Amino acid sequence: MITTLALAAGSLLWSSAPAQAAAPSGQATVEAGSTAARPKAYVRVLYPTRMRRGGSATFSYKATRLRRIEADGVVLAAFLPKNTVSKVRFLAKPPHSKCGYYASRAYCVVKLKGANTISMRLQISVKYKYAGKYYINHYARAIGFESGLSTRDYVRQISREDLIAKSKTIISLR
């Protein structure tokens, strides 16, 4: 059973202006902004709603309309609850990207190089002792590459304004 949460990422993600808080509704697609200020890019996150204790969950990201943004690259990240993950595995990485996991964050820093669409899939194995509601915050941020900065420096630049989705997966005891 997979739930889809798609948020428009135009004025919310890709501009330097302060972001508007967009709350997900019962619809599959939520757009930020009005019709006059059309969003520039979209990011879609697919995630499971249920999983077994000690199992793994697969999260899929798809960013489209990237040619409309004025940036060198994009950072896609998932902030995971601390001390709950036993393994993070990237099943599909975007081209020209560096992906990794540190400090409870699974991330990919992607150089766009004219790409209009990118996608990423990661599998998270949760420790057996953990059960209940599992919340993950998903972020996307447009970046400009500068000399002297590492991949982790770009991940550290992510702020609350870059939040695109919150997923809730229920981990059952059986």
Side-chain angles (χ1 to χ4, degrees):
M1 186 181 298
I2 295 179
T3 300
T4 304
L5 180 66
L7 292 176
S11 61
L12 184 63
L13 295 175
W14 310 116
S15 67
S16 59
Q20 303 271 336
S25 66
Q27 299 178 358
T29 304
V30 179
E31 291 190 20
S34 65
T35 57
R38 300 215 63 186
K40 295 181 182 179
Y42 294 98
V43 177
R44 183 177 179 177
V45 178
L46 296 167
Y47 61 93
T49 56
R50 294 191 163 286
M51 66 182 278
R52 287 185 172 223
R53 184 176 176 187
S56 60
T58 302
F59 296 85
S60 299
Y61 295 81
K62 186 173 184 178
T64 57
R65 298 182 182 178
L66 295 174
R67 288 190 188 136
R68 294 182 178 189
I69 63 172
E70 297 176 7
D72 298 332
V74 175
V75 178
L76 297 173
F79 286 24
L80 310 168
K82 292 183 180 183
N83 302 321
T84 59
V85 176
S86 62
K87 180 168 57 169
V88 174
R89 186 174 162 207
F90 289 90
L91 302 175
K93 297 179 186 178
H96 311 292
S97 66
K98 291 185 180 179
C99 300
Y101 174 74
Y102 91 99
S104 296
R105 296 174 180 167
Y107 64 88
C108 272
V109 178
V110 183
K111 291 182 183 177
L112 292 180
K113 293 191 176 186
N116 193 33
T117 302
I118 59 171
S119 59
M120 174 181 84
R121 286 182 53 217
L122 65 114
Q123 184 178 33
I124 299 168
S125 298
V126 180
K127 292 181 181 178
Y128 185 76
K129 67 180 181 180
Y130 193 81
K133 295 176 184 170
Y134 195 69
Y135 295 100
I136 297 177
N137 293 331
H138 305 277
Y139 295 88
R141 180 180 180 91
I143 56 170
F145 289 106
E146 301 173 16
S147 62
L149 292 179
S150 68
T151 304
R152 290 186 180 178
D153 291 333
Y154 294 116
V155 176
R156 287 187 198 114
Q157 291 178 3
I158 293 175
S159 66
R160 289 184 183 190
E161 295 174 352
D162 302 321
L163 182 69
I164 58 169
K166 291 184 179 186
S167 64
K168 176 178 133 181
T169 303
I170 297 173
I171 301 174
S172 62
L173 294 172
R174 297 179 193 179

